[in-house]
Amino acid sequence: MPPILLVILNGLLRVFDLAKDVNILFDELEAVSSPCKDDDSLLHPGNLTSTSDDASRLEAGGETVPERNKSNGLYFRDGKCRIDYILVYRKSNPQTEKREVFERNIRAEGLQMEKESSLINSDIIFVKLHAPWEVLGRYAEQMNVEMYFIPLSLIDKQISRFRRWLPKKPMRLDKETLPDLEENDCYTAPFSQQRIHHFIIHNKETFFNNATRSRIVHHILQRIKYEEGKNKIGLNRLLTNGSYEAAFPLHEGSYRSKNSIRTHGAENHRHLLYECWASWGVWYKYQPLDLVRRYFGEKIGLYFAWLGWYTGMLFPAAFIGLFVFLYGVTTLDHCQVSKEVCQATDIIMCPVCDKYCPFMRLSDSCVYAKVTHLFDNGATVFFAVFMAVWATVFLEFWKRRRAVIAYDWDLIDWEEEEEEIRPQFEAKYSKKERMNPISGKPEPYQAFTDKCSRLIVSASGIFFMICVVIAAVFGIVIYRVVTVSTFAAFKWALIRNNSQVATTGTAVCINFCIIMLLNVLYEKVALLLTNLEQPRTESEWENSFTLKMFLFQFVNLNSSTFYIAFFLGRFTGHPGAYLRLINRWRLEECHPSGCLIDLCMQMGIIMVLKQTWNNFMELGYPLIQNWWTRRKVRQEHGPERKISFPQWEKDYNLQPMNAYGLFDEYLEMILQFGFTTIFVAAFPLAPLLALLNNIIEIRLDAYKFVTQWRRPLASRAKDIGIWYGILEGIGILSVITNAFVIAITSDFIPRLVYAYKYGPCAGQGEAGQKCMVGYVNASLSVFRISDFENRSEPESDGSEFSGTPLKYCRYRDYRDPPHSLVPYGYTLQFWHVLAARLAFIIVFEHLVFCIKHLISYLIPDLPKDLRDRMRREKYLIQEMMYEAELERLQKERKERKKNGKAHHNEWP
């Protein structure tokens, strides 16, 4: 370390040591502005609904402040003890004895308690809990709660001051008007009562923020007994058996204010979050993740950090996808294939269904050929490779971003403590016990054979439900093959002439309805199978349930898309020898312009409908429920009673957070990620649609958390859990599916084979538009109409085209003509195309996987500057603790000498 830095640090330590003796005297607190985030003196000083008012304000306000605190619903009746947690039960509930024992043990732990009855229902009782400083300090030390420890060096402060002179980005929040969002200027360390003088404590009431206080109280409640017995312990069990109806921390007052935040400041942190995060006016701003983490905890903060990172990474993907689409638009007039299709007035195509479907000119599909070119053009392969690489870059850089967040939020060295065993597991296996290798205590034990048998039954259930999905897809296939004939015979010319598009559109809408219905069934089945497995802990239960729900919903959502991409029109046979379903229905063929347009319609409609429905259910449903609750209260008690409701009453009337936590939010985004990557070669606009949805999704989720839901418990987490492994699996699957989409679904490979082997430029090594002359005619085979089966023969003889009955029609395939030695046999061009397709799949997959692994190898999980910061912080903390302890001992030695109590064996 440079000598100048040592001088600065020693000076800081002396200043800190002199100020220490003043700061730890809590009775002589002054309103000192802290450089750390936990100093809530930045909140609006006139609003006493905030739980962040410090002791100096209480003393300055005399008896006025406690009086005002009594009425805001955030403090006890004395107006001094803030409410850290709320329990709710009904007096009519028969579990009275358990509650009495539980509450008696709560008081024994040192927590203070008050009870209030509801203003609208006297049967509902609210239990208010407050943790005094001694209890908070004791349990914070047990839980290794990280607290602000030592200020940063003056050099870091000078650098941060210099950065303020740099131009401001419009996406960043204004830190001058929102001072709570300033970056931390403090290091942190696990709280220790023995070294309390090392921590920056300006006010014991605000040293632990509200989220930390609630987490500590919840930790205490989870370890309090309600009956005699080793398993009769914890708040969760009381919530499960109905002893308590709800348990939640309080919001910090109202999220609205009559005054502008820029002129009067924030009323409280909830108001601050609403104005700078949940408001639609800041949709283009970065999220205040530190404030989200401080209010909702690390687990929810990590979700919004991941969602924001995913949304930001969608910008380049959406831009390239839009570029591919615009490239198709600009090159549309120069596309030789679409020109030939539009000019092919003399080519008559065979009917696409039995009996009712008429013959049609190839030129009638001119519009579909042009639309297909918008998505299937020369840039498609590049975009597929780009998206496969993009998925890898997204995941690799997210690991780096997560590491930075974990460092800033003190999660690097945090390890989740040993979880409690689920009550259901204890009840099932309480007769068998074994020693826990970690805690050294006996615990219920599940035999290996029992566990395997349950897993086999669960896997069988998963397989059965996947078969149900396949059966639903089979029903959609039957609907498509039946209705295409119905639409072909429709009396409206618009539908009759576009029977295939009408069939695809209605089939997609019906498929979406089936998806929504099956999702409800899948949730119940996943719950049943997960409970059947009897997971040991809550995290094991959550991971098992998450994996099942993802498999169910992924297969449910994508099964029809896989059918259209890889099976539609591939096994139909040929005119005169069609393959039939149950020897009755002729399998559906692709449109004369190809199958890609069906895949585009499937993805576009499902993406738009699914995201619209999810957004409505996430925000609209809680809004309607909360509105209905307020309406009932107004009808029963009058509109004026709403104003007098305390905060606990308002929060109780809000909707609780989902029973599965952030599962629904993650699942929605993971499924969207699958849509964005798996079939992106067929629908380049998918990243753009995902980006637009996510910009809205962030604000909808923020609005929901801040205004419509009760405040969730601030939980800690180091990463996004099992979802990261699922994302990696989707990334691998996307490479395979995009390779098959380009090789099989699109016409990219047949066009290349024609250009280099059969076209005008054969053998010249060129593949321009001039080399595609004659491609359409070469991709169509000839069929003799007299060879039709009786049940396939169309009602029309085709005389409307030339005045005489047609003798031949064309169809998409590479087959010999009817007068050849082997009628309707595969041509040599078919085998060339098939070989090229297989070769492309192998080359594409190996190339992309090599690029993905190379990128993963080149991008370290931990940024170098972060690694250096971590080492520097560790070194500085060790040095500062040593210097501070040394100076403390020297000071004590001087005082002893002054008092004549010096000892010769003192050190140093």
Side-chain angles (χ1 to χ4, degrees):
M1 176 177 285
I4 183 65
L5 185 57
L6 283 174
V7 173
I8 294 173
L9 291 177
N10 287 330
L12 278 174
L13 288 170
R14 290 189 178 95
V15 174
F16 173 72
D17 193 51
L18 291 175
K20 172 193 63 179
D21 298 329
V22 179
N23 290 332
I24 61 174
L25 298 176
F26 300 118
D27 295 333
E28 300 177 6
L29 291 171
E30 296 179 358
V32 181
S33 60
S34 171
C36 300
K37 282 195 163 187
D38 276 340
D39 181 11
D40 296 335
S41 60
L42 295 173
L43 297 177
H44 187 260
N47 179 23
L48 297 176
T49 61
S50 170
T51 62
S52 305
D53 300 319
D54 56 23
S56 61
R57 290 189 197 151
L58 293 178
E59 293 177 4
E63 294 299 325
T64 307
V65 173
E67 286 298 325
R68 296 174 64 179
N69 283 344
K70 292 178 183 179
S71 61
N72 60 34
L74 297 172
Y75 288 82
F76 277 17
R77 298 188 193 98
D78 60 5
K80 296 180 181 179
C81 299
R82 77 173 66 186
I83 301 173
D84 295 321
Y85 212 79
I86 291 289
L87 302 177
V88 185
Y89 69 90
R90 293 182 179 271
K91 288 192 292 185
S92 57
N93 189 286
Q95 307 282 354
T96 306
E97 185 176 350
K98 293 180 180 179
R99 284 197 305 271
E100 289 179 352
V101 175
F102 188 70
E103 291 171 4
R104 186 165 59 249
N105 291 333
I106 287 176
R107 293 190 182 93
E109 286 292 332
L111 298 180
Q112 298 177 10
M113 181 187 304
E114 272 189 0
K115 292 187 178 182
E116 297 276 354
S117 61
S118 171
L119 298 179
I120 58 176
N121 188 347
S122 58
D123 188 43
I124 297 177
I125 302 298
F126 296 96
V127 180
K128 302 178 289 185
L129 301 178
H130 168 76
W133 168 258
E134 294 76 13
V135 177
L136 291 173
R138 183 171 71 251
Y139 277 95
E141 186 171 4
Q142 293 180 13
M143 298 168 63
N144 289 322
V145 176
E146 299 276 342
M147 299 306 298
Y148 294 105
F149 186 68
I150 298 172
L152 290 176
S153 67
L154 292 178
I155 297 176
D156 289 338
K157 292 187 177 182
Q158 293 297 334
I159 293 175
S160 63
R161 289 176 184 173
F162 171 75
R163 287 174 179 170
R164 295 176 187 173
W165 293 94
L166 298 177
K168 295 181 180 179
K169 295 182 180 180
M171 290 80 71
R172 295 191 182 276
L173 292 158
D174 188 356
K175 296 181 180 179
E176 293 180 358
T177 54
L178 303 176
D180 268 0
L181 303 182
E182 291 184 355
E183 295 179 356
N184 282 336
D185 288 334
C186 299
Y187 287 133
T188 58
F191 181 77
S192 172
Q193 290 182 323
Q194 291 182 348
R195 296 183 175 178
I196 195 172
H197 52 277
H198 290 300
F199 293 90
I200 301 175
I201 305 177
H202 297 295
N203 182 357
K204 66 177 182 180
E205 294 299 324
T206 58
F207 178 63
F208 297 105
N209 61 35
N210 296 338
T212 303
R213 295 173 68 99
S214 300
R215 185 157 56 91
I216 292 174
V217 172
H218 182 79
H219 176 87
I220 297 172
L221 296 178
Q222 291 296 91
R223 285 153 180 78
I224 293 180
K225 286 189 175 184
Y226 58 86
E227 277 185 4
E228 288 300 324
K230 62 181 179 180
N231 297 330
K232 308 297 183 179
I233 185 175
L235 175 63
N236 283 349
R237 290 178 173 84
L238 292 176
L239 290 171
T240 302
N241 62 31
S243 298
Y244 287 100
E245 194 169 285
F248 52 89
L250 287 180
H251 278 296
E252 298 183 3
S254 175
Y255 63 89
R256 294 185 182 275
S257 175
K258 298 179 181 178
N259 303 317
S260 172
I261 191 174
R262 298 189 177 274
T263 57
H264 292 73
E267 300 289 335
N268 50 64
H269 288 145
R270 189 186 186 193
H271 177 217
L272 186 61
L273 279 170
Y274 178 77
E275 292 291 340
C276 69
W277 183 48
S279 174
W280 290 106
V282 293
W283 66 270
Y284 61 95
K285 299 280 190 181
Y286 292 135
Q287 299 182 86
L289 293 177
D290 286 330
L291 189 60
V292 175
R293 171 245 184 170
R294 181 168 57 185
Y295 194 82
F296 291 110
E298 286 82 1
K299 194 171 187 178
I300 294 176
L302 269 172
Y303 163 71
F304 282 103
W306 176 84
L307 180 57
W309 182 257
Y310 171 43
T311 304
M313 289 292 291
L314 279 173
F315 274 96
F319 176 78
I320 300 297
L322 183 61
F323 170 78
V324 171
F325 179 78
L326 295 178
Y327 174 81
V329 174
T330 56
T331 59
L332 184 60
D333 295 335
H334 307 288
C335 180
Q336 181 64 30
V337 176
S338 60
K339 281 183 182 179
E340 291 187 2
V341 171
C342 294
Q343 295 170 2
T345 56
D346 57 337
I347 297 180
I348 307 301
M349 302 298 295
C350 298
V352 295
C353 67
D354 295 336
K355 298 284 184 186
Y356 302 106
C357 290
F359 296 98
M360 59 179 293
R361 288 187 174 91
L362 181 59
S363 58
D364 293 341
S365 61
C366 175
V367 175
Y368 303 114
K370 290 182 177 181
V371 173
T372 300
H373 177 74
L374 300 180
F375 302 101
D376 185 12
N377 52 64
T380 302
V381 177
F382 160 75
F383 187 58
V385 175
F386 170 81
M387 286 304 297
V389 174
W390 173 88
T392 302
V393 172
F394 162 67
L395 293 176
E396 291 300 320
F397 275 95
W398 163 248
K399 286 194 289 189
R400 293 166 61 88
R401 173 63 175 159
R402 187 207 65 81
V404 174
I405 292 175
Y407 171 78
D408 291 338
W409 292 357
D410 305 311
L411 298 172
I412 291 290
D413 298 324
W414 178 77
E415 294 293 339
E416 193 168 357
E417 61 184 14
E418 180 70 12
E419 283 191 87
E420 292 184 2
I421 299 176
R422 297 177 67 242
Q424 296 85 348
F425 185 90
E426 287 182 340
K428 180 71 178 177
Y429 301 103
S430 58
K431 295 181 180 179
K432 290 185 178 181
E433 289 187 347
R434 74 169 182 178
M435 196 68 65
N436 187 306
I438 298 175
S439 63
K441 298 178 181 179
E443 65 176 16
Y445 169 68
Q446 182 182 17
F448 179 77
T449 54
D450 181 76
K451 186 175 184 178
C452 286
S453 61
R454 290 178 179 275
L455 288 176
I456 291 173
V457 173
S458 178
S460 302
I462 295 173
F463 178 75
F464 173 76
M465 293 308 300
I466 292 176
C467 291
V468 171
V469 176
I470 296 174
V473 175
F474 186 74
I476 295 294
V477 172
I478 295 177
Y479 169 83
R480 294 174 70 107
V481 300
V482 170
T483 54
V484 67
S485 301
T486 305
F487 284 133
F490 216 73
K491 61 180 181 179
W492 292 350
L494 179 63
I495 297 179
R496 185 171 63 250
N497 296 334
N498 300 277
S499 58
Q500 283 191 301
V501 177
T503 300
T504 301
T506 55
V508 171
C509 294
I510 294 174
N511 183 41
F512 176 75
C513 295
I514 293 176
I515 287 173
M516 292 294 103
L517 291 175
L518 287 178
N519 282 346
V520 179
L521 174 64
Y522 290 155
E523 183 177 342
K524 298 183 181 300
V525 173
L527 276 173
L528 177 65
L529 294 179
T530 306
N531 290 329
L532 180 66
E533 291 178 8
Q534 291 291 350
R536 177 177 170 274
T537 63
E538 288 295 335
S539 62
E540 291 178 6
W541 187 96
E542 184 179 344
N543 290 340
S544 177
F545 178 77
T546 297
L547 187 59
K548 290 181 181 59
M549 281 295 293
F550 170 75
L551 287 175
F552 288 158
Q553 297 223 21
F554 181 81
V555 174
N556 187 27
L557 197 62
N558 293 282
S559 53
S560 295
T561 311
F562 272 91
Y563 164 74
I564 293 174
F566 304 127
F567 298 99
L568 178 63
R570 304 282 176 255
F571 309 100
T572 58
H574 62 87
Y578 287 117
L579 296 178
R580 296 181 179 273
L581 201 61
I582 321 179
N583 199 29
R584 179 178 179 182
W585 294 298
R586 169 180 161 184
L587 292 175
E588 187 181 5
E589 293 185 35
C590 292
H591 197 272
S593 60
C595 291
L596 202 67
I597 188 68
D598 296 279
L599 184 58
C600 292
M601 288 183 61
Q602 173 83 9
M603 290 191 62
I605 294 176
I606 291 294
M607 269 196 85
V608 172
L609 290 180
K610 187 77 166 62
Q611 291 178 348
T612 303
W613 175 259
N614 286 337
N615 289 337
F616 169 76
M617 291 302 295
E618 283 188 4
L619 183 63
Y621 185 66
L623 277 173
I624 293 173
Q625 284 190 316
N626 290 333
W627 170 81
W628 183 255
T629 301
R630 292 192 300 267
R631 182 175 179 273
K632 287 172 60 178
V633 171
R634 285 196 300 267
Q635 288 179 347
E636 295 177 5
H637 303 279
E640 68 280 354
R641 293 300 299 274
K642 176 185 174 183
I643 302 174
S644 60
F645 284 166
Q647 189 64 42
W648 59 79
E649 192 96 41
K650 295 177 184 177
D651 286 5
Y652 177 70
N653 290 327
L654 295 177
Q655 297 303 308
M657 189 176 176
N658 292 335
Y660 311 126
L662 294 168
F663 170 79
D664 290 336
E665 281 71 22
Y666 272 118
L667 180 64
E668 177 187 355
M669 290 296 103
I670 299 299
L671 292 175
Q672 184 207 80
F673 179 80
F675 259 104
T676 306
T677 54
I678 291 178
F679 293 104
V680 75
F683 192 58
L685 293 179
L688 180 61
L689 293 178
L691 173 63
L692 297 176
N693 174 80
N694 286 8
I695 292 175
I696 299 173
E697 180 76 20
I698 291 175
R699 304 305 158 180
L700 284 181
D701 283 348
Y703 184 84
K704 175 179 63 180
F705 271 92
V706 173
T707 68
Q708 301 302 310
W709 279 3
R710 296 173 190 163
R711 185 176 182 178
L713 182 71
S715 303
R716 306 200 85 191
K718 293 183 67 172
D719 51 32
I720 61 176
I722 193 176
W723 296 110
Y724 185 83
I726 293 175
L727 286 171
E728 286 187 322
I730 291 176
I732 295 172
L733 181 62
S734 67
V735 177
I736 301 172
T737 53
N738 281 303
F740 276 86
V741 166
I742 295 172
I744 296 176
T745 310
S746 75
D747 288 338
F748 176 77
I749 299 300
R751 291 177 186 178
L752 278 183
V753 172
Y754 178 81
Y756 285 103
K757 183 69 177 176
Y758 297 95
C761 304
Q764 301 178 16
E766 298 181 17
Q769 292 298 327
K770 64 178 183 178
C771 301
M772 297 304 298
V773 175
Y775 167 76
V776 172
N777 186 62
S779 64
L780 299 176
S781 300
V782 180
F783 177 74
R784 188 165 47 206
I785 294 177
S786 59
D787 293 341
F788 266 124
E789 300 172 294
N790 290 333
R791 53 182 174 178
S792 298
E793 188 173 357
E795 293 182 342
S796 172
D797 59 1
S799 58
E800 65 270 16
F801 295 103
S802 59
T804 58
L806 292 174
K807 293 183 179 181
Y808 298 96
C809 64
R810 309 291 293 273
Y811 61 98
R812 282 175 58 94
D813 210 341
Y814 297 101
R815 293 183 180 271
D816 291 322
H819 50 74
S820 62
L821 293 177
V822 183
Y824 308 119
Y826 286 119
T827 63
L828 183 62
Q829 188 175 356
F830 169 81
W831 299 109
H832 284 162
V833 170
L834 180 61
R837 282 174 167 166
L838 295 177
F840 175 83
I841 292 173
I842 295 173
V843 172
F844 181 90
E845 289 183 355
H846 282 71
L847 175 65
V848 175
F849 278 127
C850 287
I851 295 174
K852 286 168 67 70
H853 284 93
L854 179 63
I855 291 175
S856 300
Y857 175 77
L858 293 178
I859 301 177
D861 295 345
L862 203 64
K864 183 179 182 303
D865 60 337
L866 176 60
R867 191 182 298 111
D868 294 339
R869 286 167 59 193
M870 292 171 60
R871 292 174 179 173
R872 177 173 175 270
E873 177 183 349
K874 184 178 181 181
Y875 172 76
L876 286 179
I877 287 181
Q878 289 176 348
E879 288 292 315
M880 289 178 178
M881 290 180 64
Y882 173 76
E883 294 289 340
E885 191 69 20
L886 184 61
E887 291 202 10
R888 186 180 67 83
L889 292 174
Q890 289 176 346
K891 185 179 178 180
E892 291 180 357
R893 180 183 179 183
K894 290 178 181 179
E895 290 181 355
R896 288 172 181 168
K897 284 184 178 180
K898 191 180 297 183
N899 298 330
K901 296 181 180 180
H903 297 279
H904 295 289
N905 58 351
E906 283 190 24
W907 182 88

